[in-house]
Amino acid sequence: MEAEKIRLVIRKYLSEQPRNSAEIAAWLASREGYSGSLDLASLMESDPNIVRIGTVRKSGMAGSTPPLSEWATEEWVRHHERAKPERN
């Protein structure tokens, strides 16, 4: 699967709700034609429609394993963004 097609299917997958890096990787691995040879974080960071919205930390995580990133589409973020408070 080429990089642009992978970005497209990831955007579609994230349109429903945010997902973490592990969920995205597992979902992609289950799809036919995905070899798993791409750096998913770099791939998603290079797409202006996909944003990193946070990290997921699991209790009991040991070692130098980085926390999982949480990803969403720009459209999902705009739709769920809190209204800014009015200034007096």
Side-chain angles (χ1 to χ4, degrees), residues 40-70:
L40 285 179
S42 296
L43 185 76
M44 290 186 285
E45 285 174 343
S46 67
D47 188 326
N49 297 307
I50 298 175
V51 294
R52 184 187 317 246
I53 58 172
T55 56
V56 177
R57 297 189 186 274
K58 292 184 178 182
S59 64
M61 235 169 114
S64 61
T65 308
L68 298 171
S69 294
E70 189 83 13

Side-chain angles (χ1 to χ4, degrees), residues 13-57:
Y13 182 58
L14 292 175
S15 66
E16 298 171 13
Q17 69 182 48
R19 314 272 181 169
N20 69 46
S21 304
E23 289 174 307
I24 296 167
W27 177 76
L28 276 175
S30 71
R31 296 184 56 86
E32 189 175 320
Y34 177 68
S35 64
S37 61
L38 294 172
D39 177 11
L40 285 179
S42 296
L43 185 76
M44 290 186 285
E45 285 174 343
S46 67
D47 188 326
N49 297 307
I50 298 175
V51 294
R52 184 187 317 246
I53 58 172
T55 56
V56 177
R57 297 189 186 274

